């Protein structure tokens, strides 16, 4: 079992399989063209899998595949199947913008994927185009329909922003609710890559707006989730993620692996240790030691609060959010 210095059990691994993306979301990616990490620097699925096996043997029970856009990486279903075949009980999930989901949802499910979180910030094509800087909405919605049709569990993530999609939180919630999908509103997190001038709708503002339309009670955090959940009168639950808080840190159970092999103990800290060299030379014992070191050094809480609050210099498209 992986236990950190604050007695937290670490049993959740998030793997960003690529930093590349087919969207340019204003809150995530720089506007100007930039250079991607060269493909040869990425760990292959075979290399990643060698490390995943160690993680599972050490007690990881949940794995989320993310990015960048994970569906851009060729043969992602084969990687999912490798993990599933090694340990079918693993809670295997993905986070995707859903643009390429249509036509592959069944293949992903057959490979062993259980759940998918999709990002839907708007239901207006022109706003989707403005946010993603590409005409995306139709493909996204068709992808979601297909994921539901093949029986994947689907959650929706929405980042509400002032003067952008703030007026749509009820509409997107209703869209999710009508299809049996939980929605989570994520407060926009400042970072060095986002477009200047984006203004988050705070959790308080989201709740105030929703309270005009619904009755709901605060149910607190689900175990180890950064999302606080609220239950409406009819039983539907929605979540709000307030990254600038640190209430969820005491239950944090996750570590992150980037496509280049950097193992990150906390999204908000720049510290990371690489497993790339050891995995590439087949030295899995050293990679296992790095895993234990990273878990041991997992910080008690994020750095947003207090006097030393920082803007994240790490790209969300690199870490997978
Ligand atoms: N491309 C996939 C997607 O968009 O779902 C997976 C990667 S994306 C980095 C994962 C999540 O991070 C998405 O739900 C996205 O909305 C969220 N995200 C990205 N940048 C963010 C920011 N600055 N603040 C809050 N959430 C952000
Ligand atoms: Fe791509 Fe996801 Fe970032 Fe949007 S949020 S640019 S879809 S990685």
């Amino acid at each position: 079992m992986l236990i950190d210095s604050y007695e937290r059990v670490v049993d959740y691994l998030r793997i960003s399989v690529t930093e590349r993306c087919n969207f340019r979301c204003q809150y995530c990616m720089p506007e100007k063209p930039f250079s991607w990490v060269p493909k040869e620097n990425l760990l292959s699925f075979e290399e990643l899998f060698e490390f995943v096996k160690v993680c599972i043997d050490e007690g990881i029970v949940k794995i989320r595949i993310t990015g960048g856009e994970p569906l851009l990486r060729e043969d992602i279903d084969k990687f999912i199947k490798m993990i599933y075949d090694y340990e079918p009980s693993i809670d295997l999930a993905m986070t995707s913008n859903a643009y390429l989901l249509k036509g592959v949802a069944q293949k992903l499910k057959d490979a062993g994927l259980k759940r998918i979180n999709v990002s839907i910030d708007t239901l207006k094509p022109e706003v989707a185009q403005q946010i993603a800087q590409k005409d995306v909405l139709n493909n996204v919605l068709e992808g979601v329909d297909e994921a539901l049709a093949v029986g994947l569990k689907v959650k929706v993530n929405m980042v509400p922003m002032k003067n952008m999609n703030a007026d749509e939180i009820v509409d997107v919630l209703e869209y999710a609710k009508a299809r049996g999908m939980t929605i989570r509103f994520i407060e926009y997190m400042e970072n060095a890559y986002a477009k200047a001038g984006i203004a988050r709708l705070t959790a308080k503002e989201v709740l105030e707006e929703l309270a005009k339309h619904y009755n709901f009670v605060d149910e607190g955090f689900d175990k180890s989730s950064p999302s606080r959940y609220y239950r409406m009168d009819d039983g539907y639950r929605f979540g709000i993620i307030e990254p600038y808080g640190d209430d969820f840190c005491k239950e944090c159970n996750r570590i992150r692996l980037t496509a280049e092999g950097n193992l990150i103990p906390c999204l908000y800290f720049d510290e990371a240790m690489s497993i790339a060299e050891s995995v590439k030379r087949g030295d899995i014992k050293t990679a296992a030691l790095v895993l234990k070191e990273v878990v041991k050094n997992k910080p008690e809480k994020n750095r947003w609060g207090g006097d030393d609050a920082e803007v994240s210099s790490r790209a969300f498209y690199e870490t997978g959010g």
Side-chain angles (χ1 to χ4, degrees), residues 130-149:
Q130 200 185 346
I131 294 174
Q133 311 197 55
K134 176 171 169 174
D135 180 13
V136 295
L137 189 64
N138 207 29
N139 278 32
V140 168
L141 298 183
E142 286 182 1
V144 172
D145 285 345
E146 190 165 308
L148 290 168

Side-chain angles (χ1 to χ4, degrees), residues 72-127:
L72 281 181
R73 190 141 171 196
E74 211 178 321
D75 290 337
I76 189 69
D77 57 309
K78 296 199 177 115
F79 181 51
I80 290 167
K81 183 150 172 46
M82 286 156 103
I83 301 172
Y84 177 80
D85 285 346
Y86 186 70
E87 183 47 77
S89 71
I90 287 285
D91 182 4
L92 256 175
M94 179 182 277
T95 302
S96 166
N97 62 32
Y99 187 82
L100 297 171
L101 198 50
K102 193 181 170 195
V104 302
Q106 185 70 58
K107 198 165 67 168
L108 296 173
K109 177 140 194 300
D110 292 346
L113 192 73
K114 299 188 171 102
R115 300 184 293 113
I116 189 158
N117 290 2
V118 295
S119 303
I120 301 181
D121 295 320
T122 172
L123 295 169
K124 296 180 186 163
E126 66 283 6
V127 178

Side-chain angles (χ1 to χ4, degrees), residues 14 21 25 27-28 66-70 95-97 117-119 121 157 159 186-191 194 243 316-317 320-321:
R14 295 174 64 103
C21 192
C25 299
Y27 51 71
C28 178
T66 175
E69 177 45 44
T95 302
S96 166
N97 62 32
N117 290 2
V118 295
S119 303
D121 295 320
N157 290 336
V159 179
I186 309 176
E187 274 189 0
Y188 162 67
M189 291 176 262
E190 280 170 43
N191 65 90
F316 290 104
Y317 60 82

